[in-house]
Amino acid sequence: MKLSALFREAGRNIVTGTTRFALLGILSAVVFASLVLLDALTTSGLVASAERFRSSGAATEILVAEGRVDGAACEALAGVPGVTASGALRSSARKITIATLPDAPVPAHEVSPGFSAVVSDRAGSPSGVLLPRELADMIRAGLGDEVATDAGPMRVAEVFDYPSDGRRPGFGYAILSVGSALGSYDECWATAWPQLPNLRTLLLATMSPSAGDGADKPQIMQLNSSQGASFEGNASFTDRLTRAAAPAAAVIAAGIGFAGVRMRRLQHTSALHAGLRKGDLLALGLLEAGGWAAAAGVIGVGAAAVGASMVERGDQFAVFASLVGIPLAGVAGALIGTAVAAAAMSEKHLFRYFKDR
Protein backbone atom coordinates (compact mmCIF):
# COMPACT_ATOMS: atom_id res chain seq x y z
CA MET A 1 0.00 0.00 0.00
CA LYS A 2 1.11 3.54 -0.68
CA LEU A 3 1.89 5.73 2.27
CA SER A 4 -1.06 8.00 1.50
CA ALA A 5 -3.38 5.00 1.48
CA LEU A 6 -2.01 3.83 4.81
CA PHE A 7 -2.67 7.27 6.32
CA ARG A 8 -6.22 7.30 4.95
CA GLU A 9 -6.94 3.81 6.28
CA ALA A 10 -5.48 4.65 9.70
CA GLY A 11 -7.56 7.83 9.80
CA ARG A 12 -10.77 5.95 8.98
CA ASN A 13 -10.05 3.35 11.64
CA ILE A 14 -9.48 6.08 14.24
CA VAL A 15 -12.59 8.08 13.29
CA THR A 16 -14.86 5.04 13.22
CA GLY A 17 -13.56 3.77 16.58
CA THR A 18 -12.07 0.59 15.14
CA THR A 19 -8.73 1.28 16.78
CA ARG A 20 -10.36 1.93 20.21
CA PHE A 21 -8.49 5.24 20.12
CA ALA A 22 -10.29 6.75 23.13
CA LEU A 23 -9.94 3.65 25.33
CA LEU A 24 -6.26 3.07 24.62
CA GLY A 25 -5.42 6.79 24.68
CA ILE A 26 -7.18 7.51 27.98
CA LEU A 27 -5.73 4.41 29.63
CA SER A 28 -2.21 5.37 28.52
CA ALA A 29 -2.69 9.00 29.54
CA VAL A 30 -3.77 7.96 33.03
CA VAL A 31 -0.69 5.75 33.35
CA PHE A 32 1.70 8.44 32.07
CA ALA A 33 0.23 11.27 34.15
CA SER A 34 0.08 9.15 37.31
CA LEU A 35 3.70 8.07 37.05
CA VAL A 36 4.83 11.60 36.20
CA LEU A 37 3.03 13.19 39.14
CA LEU A 38 4.19 10.46 41.52
CA ASP A 39 7.81 11.06 40.50
CA ALA A 40 7.22 14.83 40.63
CA LEU A 41 6.00 14.63 44.22
CA THR A 42 9.02 12.57 45.21
CA THR A 43 11.44 14.89 43.41
CA SER A 44 9.85 18.06 44.78
CA GLY A 45 10.19 16.62 48.28
CA LEU A 46 13.90 16.06 47.71
CA VAL A 47 14.32 19.57 46.26
CA ALA A 48 12.50 21.03 49.28
CA SER A 49 14.78 19.09 51.62
CA ALA A 50 17.82 20.41 49.78
CA GLU A 51 16.56 24.00 49.99
CA ARG A 52 15.77 23.55 53.68
CA PHE A 53 19.32 22.29 54.27
CA ARG A 54 20.87 25.21 52.37
CA SER A 55 18.66 27.96 53.78
CA SER A 56 19.17 26.78 57.35
CA GLY A 57 22.88 27.55 57.09
CA ALA A 58 23.91 23.90 57.18
CA ALA A 59 25.93 24.40 53.98
CA THR A 60 27.99 27.16 55.63
CA GLU A 61 31.30 26.30 57.29
CA ILE A 62 33.13 28.65 59.69
CA LEU A 63 36.86 28.86 60.38
CA VAL A 64 37.58 30.31 63.83
CA ALA A 65 41.15 31.54 64.27
CA GLU A 66 41.23 34.75 66.31
CA GLY A 67 43.26 37.47 64.61
CA ARG A 68 44.74 35.03 62.07
CA VAL A 69 42.28 35.11 59.16
CA ASP A 70 43.31 37.07 56.10
CA GLY A 71 40.18 39.03 55.15
CA ALA A 72 41.13 39.37 51.47
CA ALA A 73 41.89 35.65 51.17
CA CYS A 74 38.56 34.83 52.79
CA GLU A 75 36.71 37.10 50.37
CA ALA A 76 38.54 35.46 47.45
CA LEU A 77 36.97 32.09 48.29
CA ALA A 78 33.77 33.30 46.63
CA GLY A 79 35.61 33.03 43.32
CA VAL A 80 36.27 29.31 43.76
CA PRO A 81 33.88 27.16 41.68
CA GLY A 82 31.16 25.81 43.95
CA VAL A 83 31.61 28.43 46.69
CA THR A 84 28.54 30.67 46.51
CA ALA A 85 29.55 33.21 49.16
CA SER A 86 32.30 33.98 51.64
CA GLY A 87 33.12 36.71 54.13
CA ALA A 88 35.23 37.45 57.20
CA LEU A 89 34.17 38.56 60.67
CA ARG A 90 35.88 40.04 63.71
CA SER A 91 34.28 40.81 67.06
CA SER A 92 34.47 44.00 69.08
CA ALA A 93 34.53 44.24 72.84
CA ARG A 94 32.46 47.43 72.63
CA LYS A 95 28.69 47.25 72.48
CA ILE A 96 26.53 49.76 70.62
CA THR A 97 23.55 51.42 72.23
CA ILE A 98 20.63 52.13 69.90
CA ALA A 99 18.61 55.23 70.75
CA THR A 100 15.34 53.31 70.82
CA LEU A 101 16.85 50.55 73.01
CA PRO A 102 18.89 52.51 75.58
CA ASP A 103 18.83 49.75 78.18
CA ALA A 104 19.86 46.90 75.87
CA PRO A 105 23.31 47.47 74.31
CA VAL A 106 23.86 45.40 71.18
CA PRO A 107 27.00 43.32 70.54
CA ALA A 108 28.98 44.63 67.56
CA HIS A 109 31.00 42.83 64.90
CA GLU A 110 32.85 44.03 61.84
CA VAL A 111 32.49 42.03 58.63
CA SER A 112 34.00 42.14 55.17
CA PRO A 113 31.79 43.18 52.22
CA GLY A 114 31.15 39.61 51.06
CA PHE A 115 29.69 38.59 54.40
CA SER A 116 26.27 39.94 53.38
CA ALA A 117 25.95 37.22 50.71
CA VAL A 118 26.67 34.54 53.33
CA VAL A 119 23.77 35.49 55.63
CA SER A 120 21.37 36.63 52.91
CA ASP A 121 20.70 36.11 49.21
CA ARG A 122 21.75 39.65 48.32
CA ALA A 123 25.09 39.88 46.51
CA GLY A 124 27.27 42.95 46.11
CA SER A 125 29.31 45.10 48.49
CA PRO A 126 26.93 46.87 50.87
CA SER A 127 27.92 49.94 52.84
CA GLY A 128 26.49 50.35 56.33
CA VAL A 129 25.34 47.73 58.82
CA LEU A 130 23.69 44.34 58.59
CA LEU A 131 20.86 43.72 61.07
CA PRO A 132 19.18 40.44 61.96
CA ARG A 133 15.45 40.61 61.29
CA GLU A 134 14.51 40.20 64.95
CA LEU A 135 16.53 43.28 65.93
CA ALA A 136 15.35 45.24 62.89
CA ASP A 137 11.75 44.54 63.83
CA MET A 138 12.35 45.63 67.41
CA ILE A 139 13.67 49.04 66.34
CA ARG A 140 11.37 49.21 63.28
CA ALA A 141 14.23 49.69 60.85
CA GLY A 142 14.26 48.59 57.23
CA LEU A 143 16.63 48.50 54.31
CA GLY A 144 18.12 51.98 53.71
CA ASP A 145 16.96 53.45 57.03
CA GLU A 146 19.30 55.26 59.37
CA VAL A 147 19.54 54.10 62.98
CA ALA A 148 20.60 56.54 65.70
CA THR A 149 23.23 55.04 68.01
CA ASP A 150 25.80 56.27 70.53
CA ALA A 151 28.41 55.72 67.80
CA GLY A 152 26.55 57.97 65.39
CA PRO A 153 23.90 57.28 62.73
CA MET A 154 24.17 53.95 60.94
CA ARG A 155 22.53 53.12 57.61
CA VAL A 156 20.90 49.70 57.31
CA ALA A 157 22.51 47.98 54.31
CA GLU A 158 20.80 44.62 54.77
CA VAL A 159 18.25 42.86 56.98
CA PHE A 160 18.87 39.12 57.18
CA ASP A 161 17.04 36.20 58.73
CA TYR A 162 18.78 34.48 61.62
CA PRO A 163 16.18 32.33 63.41
CA SER A 164 16.88 30.12 66.41
CA ASP A 165 16.73 26.90 64.41
CA GLY A 166 20.01 25.36 65.48
CA ARG A 167 22.31 28.02 64.05
CA ARG A 168 25.32 29.15 65.99
CA PRO A 169 23.99 31.55 68.64
CA GLY A 170 25.08 35.15 69.08
CA PHE A 171 24.05 36.74 65.79
CA GLY A 172 20.28 37.01 66.19
CA TYR A 173 20.81 40.14 68.29
CA ALA A 174 23.88 41.91 66.92
CA ILE A 175 25.06 44.69 64.65
CA LEU A 176 27.38 43.74 61.81
CA SER A 177 29.26 46.76 60.46
CA VAL A 178 30.59 46.33 56.92
CA GLY A 179 34.25 47.29 56.68
CA SER A 180 37.19 46.63 54.42
CA ALA A 181 38.30 43.21 53.24
CA LEU A 182 41.88 44.09 54.17
CA GLY A 183 43.42 43.20 57.49
CA SER A 184 43.16 40.37 59.96
CA TYR A 185 39.87 38.87 61.05
CA ASP A 186 38.80 36.28 63.60
CA GLU A 187 36.57 34.11 61.43
CA CYS A 188 35.95 33.18 57.81
CA TRP A 189 32.46 32.05 56.77
CA ALA A 190 31.95 30.27 53.46
CA THR A 191 28.92 28.68 51.83
CA ALA A 192 29.27 26.00 49.15
CA TRP A 193 26.27 24.58 47.32
CA PRO A 194 26.32 21.79 46.40
CA GLN A 195 28.64 21.01 49.26
CA LEU A 196 32.35 20.77 48.51
CA PRO A 197 34.35 18.01 50.22
CA ASN A 198 37.44 20.25 50.32
CA LEU A 199 35.75 23.38 51.71
CA ARG A 200 37.44 23.00 55.09
CA THR A 201 40.83 22.82 53.40
CA LEU A 202 40.02 25.99 51.49
CA LEU A 203 39.04 27.71 54.73
CA LEU A 204 42.32 26.76 56.41
CA ALA A 205 44.16 28.29 53.44
CA THR A 206 42.74 31.72 54.34
CA MET A 207 44.84 31.91 57.50
CA SER A 208 47.62 34.46 57.48
CA PRO A 209 51.07 32.90 56.93
CA SER A 210 52.40 35.01 59.81
CA ALA A 211 50.12 33.27 62.35
CA GLY A 212 52.16 32.19 65.37
CA ASP A 213 52.73 28.50 66.07
CA GLY A 214 51.85 28.98 69.71
CA ALA A 215 48.40 30.30 69.03
CA ASP A 216 45.29 28.25 69.71
CA LYS A 217 44.53 25.61 67.15
CA PRO A 218 42.03 26.87 64.55
CA GLN A 219 38.56 25.37 64.69
CA ILE A 220 36.13 24.67 61.85
CA MET A 221 32.44 24.35 62.59
CA GLN A 222 29.15 24.13 60.77
CA LEU A 223 26.88 27.16 61.09
CA ASN A 224 23.89 24.88 61.68
CA SER A 225 24.42 21.21 62.48
CA SER A 226 20.75 20.43 63.21
CA GLN A 227 20.21 19.27 59.61
CA GLY A 228 23.14 16.85 59.64
CA ALA A 229 26.72 17.24 58.49
CA SER A 230 25.96 16.75 54.81
CA PHE A 231 23.07 16.46 52.40
CA GLU A 232 23.21 13.32 50.28
CA GLY A 233 20.97 14.72 47.56
CA ASN A 234 22.44 12.78 44.66
CA ALA A 235 22.19 9.47 46.50
CA SER A 236 18.62 10.18 47.60
CA PHE A 237 17.60 11.11 44.06
CA THR A 238 19.27 8.04 42.56
CA ASP A 239 17.75 5.69 45.15
CA ARG A 240 14.20 7.13 45.10
CA LEU A 241 11.45 4.55 44.64
CA THR A 242 10.06 6.32 41.57
CA ARG A 243 13.33 6.09 39.63
CA ALA A 244 11.76 3.22 37.69
CA ALA A 245 8.83 5.36 36.50
CA ALA A 246 10.12 5.67 32.92
CA PRO A 247 10.77 1.92 32.46
CA ALA A 248 7.40 1.20 34.10
CA ALA A 249 5.67 3.56 31.68
CA ALA A 250 7.38 1.85 28.74
CA VAL A 251 6.45 -1.66 29.91
CA ILE A 252 2.83 -0.79 30.71
CA ALA A 253 2.39 1.09 27.44
CA ALA A 254 3.94 -1.81 25.55
CA GLY A 255 1.33 -4.07 27.13
CA ILE A 256 -1.44 -1.66 26.13
CA GLY A 257 -0.15 -1.50 22.57
CA PHE A 258 0.17 -5.28 22.38
CA ALA A 259 -3.36 -5.74 23.76
CA GLY A 260 -4.72 -3.16 21.31
CA VAL A 261 -3.51 -5.25 18.38
CA ARG A 262 -4.56 -8.57 19.90
CA MET A 263 -8.11 -7.31 20.44
CA ARG A 264 -8.37 -6.98 16.64
CA ARG A 265 -6.57 -10.20 15.79
CA LEU A 266 -9.48 -11.60 13.75
CA GLN A 267 -9.64 -8.41 11.69
CA HIS A 268 -5.89 -8.40 11.10
CA THR A 269 -5.61 -12.05 10.10
CA SER A 270 -8.61 -11.62 7.79
CA ALA A 271 -6.80 -8.71 6.13
CA LEU A 272 -3.72 -10.87 5.69
CA HIS A 273 -5.87 -13.64 4.22
CA ALA A 274 -7.32 -11.10 1.78
CA GLY A 275 -3.81 -10.21 0.52
CA LEU A 276 -2.59 -7.45 2.85
CA ARG A 277 1.16 -7.66 3.23
CA LYS A 278 2.67 -8.14 6.70
CA GLY A 279 4.72 -4.95 6.28
CA ASP A 280 1.57 -2.94 5.48
CA LEU A 281 -0.17 -4.39 8.52
CA LEU A 282 2.80 -3.40 10.69
CA ALA A 283 2.89 0.13 9.26
CA LEU A 284 -0.86 0.54 9.69
CA GLY A 285 -0.69 -0.62 13.30
CA LEU A 286 2.15 1.79 14.07
CA LEU A 287 0.26 4.72 12.53
CA GLU A 288 -2.84 3.95 14.56
CA ALA A 289 -0.88 3.38 17.78
CA GLY A 290 1.12 6.51 17.11
CA GLY A 291 -2.12 8.49 17.22
CA TRP A 292 -3.38 7.42 20.62
CA ALA A 293 0.12 7.11 22.12
CA ALA A 294 1.05 10.62 20.99
CA ALA A 295 -2.16 12.04 22.45
CA ALA A 296 -1.39 10.33 25.76
CA GLY A 297 2.20 11.53 25.53
CA VAL A 298 1.07 15.15 25.17
CA ILE A 299 -1.01 14.78 28.34
CA GLY A 300 1.99 13.23 30.06
CA VAL A 301 4.21 16.16 29.00
CA GLY A 302 1.57 18.53 30.39
CA ALA A 303 1.67 16.61 33.66
CA ALA A 304 5.48 16.97 33.63
CA ALA A 305 5.10 20.74 33.28
CA VAL A 306 2.70 20.77 36.23
CA GLY A 307 5.09 18.63 38.25
CA ALA A 308 8.03 20.93 37.45
CA SER A 309 6.04 23.91 38.71
CA MET A 310 6.04 22.33 42.19
CA VAL A 311 9.70 23.25 42.72
CA GLU A 312 11.60 26.54 42.88
CA ARG A 313 12.02 28.40 39.60
CA GLY A 314 15.75 27.74 39.37
CA ASP A 315 15.21 23.96 39.41
CA GLN A 316 12.12 23.77 37.19
CA PHE A 317 13.86 23.07 33.87
CA ALA A 318 16.00 20.27 35.33
CA VAL A 319 12.96 18.66 36.97
CA PHE A 320 10.91 18.98 33.76
CA ALA A 321 13.72 17.37 31.74
CA SER A 322 13.72 14.47 34.20
CA LEU A 323 9.94 14.03 34.22
CA VAL A 324 9.34 14.37 30.48
CA GLY A 325 11.31 11.18 29.90
CA ILE A 326 8.44 9.20 31.45
CA PRO A 327 5.76 9.91 28.78
CA LEU A 328 8.39 9.72 26.02
CA ALA A 329 9.39 6.27 27.23
CA GLY A 330 5.71 5.35 27.35
CA VAL A 331 5.14 6.40 23.72
CA ALA A 332 8.16 4.36 22.63
CA GLY A 333 6.88 1.38 24.62
CA ALA A 334 3.43 1.63 23.02
CA LEU A 335 4.95 1.54 19.53
CA ILE A 336 7.21 -1.39 20.43
CA GLY A 337 4.33 -3.38 21.90
CA THR A 338 2.21 -2.68 18.82
CA ALA A 339 5.03 -3.68 16.48
CA VAL A 340 5.63 -6.96 18.31
CA ALA A 341 1.95 -7.88 18.26
CA ALA A 342 1.55 -6.94 14.60
CA ALA A 343 4.65 -8.88 13.61
CA ALA A 344 3.27 -11.95 15.42
CA MET A 345 0.05 -11.92 13.35
CA SER A 346 -0.20 -14.80 10.88
CA GLU A 347 -2.82 -15.73 8.32
CA LYS A 348 -2.70 -19.38 9.46
CA HIS A 349 -4.31 -18.39 12.76
CA LEU A 350 -7.41 -16.99 11.04
CA PHE A 351 -9.68 -20.01 11.53
CA ARG A 352 -8.62 -20.51 15.16
CA TYR A 353 -9.39 -16.86 15.91
CA PHE A 354 -12.68 -17.23 14.05
CA LYS A 355 -13.68 -20.21 16.19
CA ASP A 356 -12.60 -18.40 19.42
CA ARG A 357 -14.45 -15.17 18.66
Side-chain angles (χ1 to χ4, degrees), residues 29 41 45 62 82 122-123 161 189 201 249 261 268 279 284 289 338:
L41 289 172
I62 303 171
R122 188 185 299 273
D161 292 314
W189 295 32
T201 302
V261 174
H268 291 322
L284 185 61
T338 298

Side-chain angles (χ1 to χ4, degrees), residues 3 14 24 50 74 81 83 105 108 136 154 168 209 228-229 235 245 247 272 276 284 305 323 327 331 339 347-348:
L3 184 60
I14 291 174
L24 300 179
C74 180
V83 179
M154 295 182 174
R168 179 185 174 191
L272 292 174
L276 182 67
L284 185 61
L323 296 176
V331 171
E347 178 188 353
K348 65 182 181 181

Side-chain angles (χ1 to χ4, degrees), residues 43-58:
T43 302
S44 64
L46 292 174
V47 172
S49 297
E51 177 57 25
R52 187 163 53 250
F53 184 93
R54 185 197 67 81
S55 62
S56 71

Side-chain angles (χ1 to χ4, degrees), residues 9-324:
E9 181 65 22
R12 282 194 294 266
N13 288 340
I14 291 174
V15 171
T16 59
T18 303
T19 62
R20 295 178 174 83
F21 184 94
L23 173 64
L24 300 179
I26 291 174
L27 184 59
S28 299
V30 169
V31 171
F32 298 169
S34 298
L35 289 172
V36 164
L37 293 177
L38 184 61
D39 194 32
L41 289 172
T42 302
T43 302
S44 64
L46 292 174
V47 172
S49 297
E51 177 57 25
R52 187 163 53 250
F53 184 93
R54 185 197 67 81
S55 62
S56 71
T60 300
E61 300 280 351
I62 303 171
L63 166 68
V64 180
E66 187 174 349
R68 291 176 288 163
V69 173
D70 186 321
C74 180
E75 288 268 313
L77 286 183
V80 176
V83 179
T84 59
S86 64
L89 175 145
R90 57 186 166 216
S91 300
S92 172
R94 181 177 183 274
K95 293 186 177 182
I96 295 175
T97 300
I98 299 175
T100 54
L101 293 175
D103 298 326
V106 182
H109 308 276
E110 184 178 356
V111 297
S112 63
F115 197 88
S116 175
V118 179
V119 294
S120 72
D121 292 330
R122 188 185 299 273
S125 299
S127 176
V129 297
L130 314 179
L131 296 182
R133 191 168 303 279
E134 183 178 355
L135 176 59
D137 290 342
M138 289 175 63
I139 62 177
R140 298 182 180 180
L143 184 64
D145 292 345
E146 282 199 350
V147 179
T149 72
D150 61 348
M154 295 182 174
R155 191 183 71 85
V156 179
E158 182 62 71
V159 176
F160 61 93
D161 292 314
Y162 204 89
S164 300
D165 58 356
R167 298 171 200 245
R168 179 185 174 191
F171 297 94
Y173 185 78
I175 293 177
L176 309 182
S177 301
V178 180
S180 170
L182 302 177
S184 298
Y185 281 80
D186 299 331
E187 300 179 6
C188 180
W189 295 32
T191 302
W193 191 252
Q195 289 178 285
L196 293 178
N198 64 334
L199 180 59
R200 296 196 168 197
T201 302
L202 294 173
L203 284 169
L204 289 172
T206 66
M207 292 181 61
S208 173
S210 60
D213 294 335
D216 293 337
K217 184 177 179 181
Q219 296 181 345
I220 295 181
M221 65 183 69
Q222 194 177 7
L223 176 58
N224 188 342
S225 60
S226 65
Q227 301 291 324
S230 62
F231 181 75
E232 304 298 335
N234 289 335
S236 299
F237 182 77
T238 302
D239 296 338
R240 71 193 192 284
L241 294 177
T242 55
R243 67 188 182 278
V251 170
I252 296 173
I256 294 173
F258 188 89
V261 174
R262 293 293 296 177
M263 285 189 294
R264 298 166 58 198
R265 58 187 180 275
L266 181 58
Q267 176 189 344
H268 291 322
T269 53
S270 297
L272 292 174
H273 182 69
L276 182 67
R277 293 182 301 178
K278 179 70 74 71
D280 292 336
L281 177 63
L282 177 60
L284 185 61
L286 290 175
L287 286 174
E288 295 172 353
W292 57 260
V298 169
I299 295 175
V301 171
V306 173
S309 68
M310 297 179 182
V311 301
E312 295 292 332
R313 186 174 298 276
D315 298 313
Q316 287 180 355
F317 181 77
V319 173
F320 176 77
S322 172
L323 296 176
V324 79

